[in-house]
Amino acid sequence: MTERMTSGSGPLDLVLGGGMPRDAIILLVGAPGSGKTILAQQWVFANASPERPALYLSTVSEPLEKILRYGQTLSFFDARSVGRTVWYEDLGVTLRDHALKGVLERLRDLIRERQPSIIVIDSFRAMHPYADRSSGFRRFLHDLAGMLSAFPVTSLWVGEYEEEDILRAPEFAVADAIIALGTVHSGQRSFRALQVHKVRGGGFRPGKHAYRLSADGMMVYPRLADAGDSSDYVLRSERVPSGIQALDDLLEDGYWPGASTLVAGPTGIGKTLMGLHFVFHAVQQGERALIATMQEDPSQLERTVSRFGWTLEAENLTLMYRSPVDLHVDEWVYELLAAIEATGASRVLLDSLGDLQAAAPDETRFREYVYSLLHRSSRRGTSMMMTYELPDLFGVSRLTDIAASHLADNVVLLQYAGFTDVMSRTLTVLKTRATDHEAGVREFQITLDGITLVPPAAE
């Protein structure tokens, strides 16, 4: 496998299969504003050293002064390294006055003078118009690739290329790795996403991976799509109460630890309250629990839980509230997994799955999120309850069109019943994996004592 070096981002290194290939030509492409220059400088400052200096070359797309001025606003930019381990040079004048032949001569002189191990050319595509004829740029590519191959140097060519350019532009055939930055549109939402098209001599993670840009550089969220894992892991054998008396009354022996439960029903039926019972049962037992909600902000939720004698200030409870308006699913999933790991939560309430679905770029990605999240929770023994709002108040004929019901270990359906003066609520356990349950439709009530079953009428 090709020797690798860090990209400056640990998650991006995972996507690349171990990092940037060393002593290679890497093409970093994308539309203006996609973060190419940020990633290029992040890579430079993460790797440059007195023994392996970096050379950053601007051409004619952006003035070198502008690149430097913006770079200084980034947290990883180390002004003390400039002129010592990171050297900036402007090729714009050389390109304008002497075309591509002059660029080759100037680059050869800079390599001899600076002895760099890392070279960035930003922007590479901007040099295309300076070729003397149709074959001139290919000849320039041949000479440039030959020059770079003669030195132990890793070069990053940055350019404003489009997807179709990958098939026709000659530099893509020369490149050892291709990283494309872009934007995915889903309804009214837009998400930044990167895709690795090629890494010669090594594997990489396929598909599109979300990323964010900030003053700390590029943060990448690798596509969460866990492959099936057939390796053994410990499953606790004891059953545990759900903490919801109405539900426990319908179960044979309680839940398996690490099981997932989908609670589906129309608005106002009691889904969130059922999830709160589930979580606060663990809290009252001295276990750690986590509420991940997009439905109610902390003040609204505190008002709800206080009615039942609970509080969000419990020491062993973690609240993770995110607004569904600007929710980036990839970022949210990794944040949730990190919170579960950090707190050691034995139970998690996800309220609600519908908000997560609405924020997902597409149905396939959403299925991957749910599967991977439940798979990881099961392996670490964390029980998860998910709420999902159904549009029908009466006569529900199906649960979801996202396959969450078949991924969950347990499925509970809540419905309204009757057209009398007062509507009643009903509870049905549709599914419990590897255990038995009462399959009837049972009426329940919500009181200050929580959710309780209504005794069946005497026949």
Side-chain angles (χ1 to χ4, degrees):
M1 180 177 174
T2 305
E3 186 180 355
R4 301 300 180 95
M5 62 195 303
T6 182
S7 64
S9 165
L12 178 54
D13 290 346
L14 291 176
V15 172
L16 289 166
M20 300 278 207
R22 193 181 293 276
D23 301 335
I25 295 171
I26 304 162
L27 262 170
L28 176 61
V29 306
S34 58
K36 301 182 299 299
T37 298
I38 290 178
L39 178 56
Q41 296 203 70
Q42 188 172 333
W43 174 64
V44 162
F45 281 96
N47 290 280
S49 67
E51 298 77 24
R52 303 181 70 87
L55 182 59
Y56 200 107
L57 306 171
S58 64
T59 58
V60 291
S61 67
E62 244 182 351
L64 179 60
E65 292 78 8
K66 186 176 180 181
I67 293 175
L68 279 167
R69 186 169 64 250
Y70 182 70
Q72 292 173 25
T73 67
L74 302 171
S75 63
F76 55 79
F77 188 95
D78 184 2
R80 297 169 300 178
S81 298
V82 178
R84 297 172 57 198
T85 61
V86 179
W87 302 87
Y88 286 87
E89 295 283 345
D90 186 358
L91 291 180
V93 175
T94 301
L95 187 60
R96 183 194 64 197
D97 295 343
H98 304 288
L100 298 181
K101 182 179 179 181
V103 168
L104 284 174
E105 293 174 354
R106 179 58 179 153
L107 186 54
R108 185 178 292 110
D109 291 342
L110 287 170
I111 290 175
R112 288 171 178 166
E113 179 184 356
R114 304 298 184 194
Q115 297 292 304
S117 294
I118 299 168
I119 295 177
V120 174
I121 302 177
D122 184 6
S123 152
F124 195 83
R125 184 172 186 174
M127 297 192 292
H128 268 268
Y130 294 87
D132 52 8
R133 57 182 183 273
S134 59
S135 63
F137 199 79
R138 290 183 180 272
R139 187 172 63 250
F140 166 72
L141 277 178
H142 178 269
D143 293 342
L144 177 60
M147 181 195 306
L148 296 175
S149 298
F151 296 89
V153 61
T154 306
S155 59
L156 187 68
W157 299 352
V158 180
E160 297 77 24
Y161 297 88
E162 297 180 1
E163 198 75 21
E164 55 266 26
D165 292 324
I166 296 177
L167 299 176
R168 64 190 184 198
E171 49 265 50
F172 287 92
V174 175
D176 298 295
I178 302 169
I179 304 170
L181 307 182
T183 302
V184 176
H185 300 283
S186 177
Q188 299 300 313
R189 296 171 182 253
S190 295
F191 307 87
R192 296 184 186 273
L194 68 85
Q195 184 170 9
V196 179
H197 289 275
K198 171 184 179 182
V199 177
R200 186 171 287 153
F204 56 88
R205 294 193 182 186
K208 294 186 177 181
H209 309 270
Y211 69 93
R212 285 240 198 193
L213 300 176
S214 71
D216 295 324
M218 177 181 287
M219 184 60 191
V220 179
Y221 304 96
R223 174 173 163 243
L224 194 70
D226 292 349
D229 188 346
S230 59
S231 62
D232 293 335
Y233 59 98
V234 176
L235 286 171
R236 289 159 54 191
S237 58
E238 76 277 12
R239 303 291 185 90
V240 294
S242 68
I244 308 158
Q245 190 59 52
L247 202 52
D248 290 340
D249 289 345
L250 301 181
L251 299 175
E252 184 181 58
D253 298 309
Y255 279 146
W256 297 108
S260 57
T261 302
L262 176 67
V263 179
T267 182
I269 194 72
K271 302 181 298 297
T272 298
L273 179 57
M274 185 167 281
L276 292 173
H277 271 287
F278 175 75
V279 163
F280 278 100
H281 175 78
V283 171
Q284 290 165 351
Q285 300 301 310
E287 301 176 24
R288 295 190 177 276
L290 189 151
I291 299 173
T293 179
M294 293 150 273
Q295 287 286 300
E296 298 178 270
D297 63 39
S299 297
Q300 294 171 320
L301 194 59
E302 179 64 43
R303 183 175 57 191
T304 299
V305 303
S306 63
R307 292 187 60 209
F308 299 91
W310 305 318
T311 176
L312 298 177
E313 300 299 323
E315 184 178 352
N316 48 342
L317 176 67
T318 300
L319 176 64
M320 184 178 132
Y321 167 72
R322 298 295 178 269
S323 168
V325 175
D326 186 34
L327 186 68
H328 288 251
V329 181
D330 300 81
E331 181 179 9
W332 180 90
V333 169
Y334 277 98
E335 188 177 0
L336 176 60
L337 290 171
I340 294 173
E341 186 67 30
T343 62
S346 64
R347 295 192 182 192
V348 174
L349 168 61
L350 197 168
D351 189 25
S352 81
L353 208 57
D355 291 316
L356 207 60
Q357 180 187 12
D362 56 63
E363 183 178 315
T364 300
R365 290 294 296 276
F366 183 71
R367 290 171 186 263
E368 293 174 350
Y369 298 141
V370 174
Y371 170 79
S372 301
L373 184 58
L374 298 187
H375 176 72
R376 295 190 184 194
S377 296
S378 176
R379 293 186 71 88
R380 75 177 314 279
T382 299
S383 301
M384 181 167 295
M385 181 170 284
M386 306 167 289
T387 66
Y388 188 82
E389 184 161 314
L390 300 176
D392 299 324
L393 295 179
F394 306 96
V396 174
S397 59
R398 67 174 186 173
L399 290 183
T400 75
D401 55 0
I402 56 172
S405 55
H406 84 258
L407 293 175
D409 297 306
N410 313 295
V411 178
V412 178
L413 174 63
L414 307 182
Q415 296 183 88
Y416 291 110
F419 293 91
T420 59
D421 293 340
V422 179
M423 289 192 301
S424 59
R425 294 178 170 92
T426 65
L427 181 154
T428 307
V429 178
L430 297 181
K431 168 186 173 184
T432 54
R433 187 167 285 156
T435 188
D436 198 9
H437 65 273
E438 183 182 322
V441 178
R442 294 292 302 275
E443 185 179 348
F444 71 92
Q445 293 178 334
I446 297 177
T447 69
L448 291 180
D449 295 325
I451 296 175
T452 57
L453 291 180
V454 175
E459 296 182 0

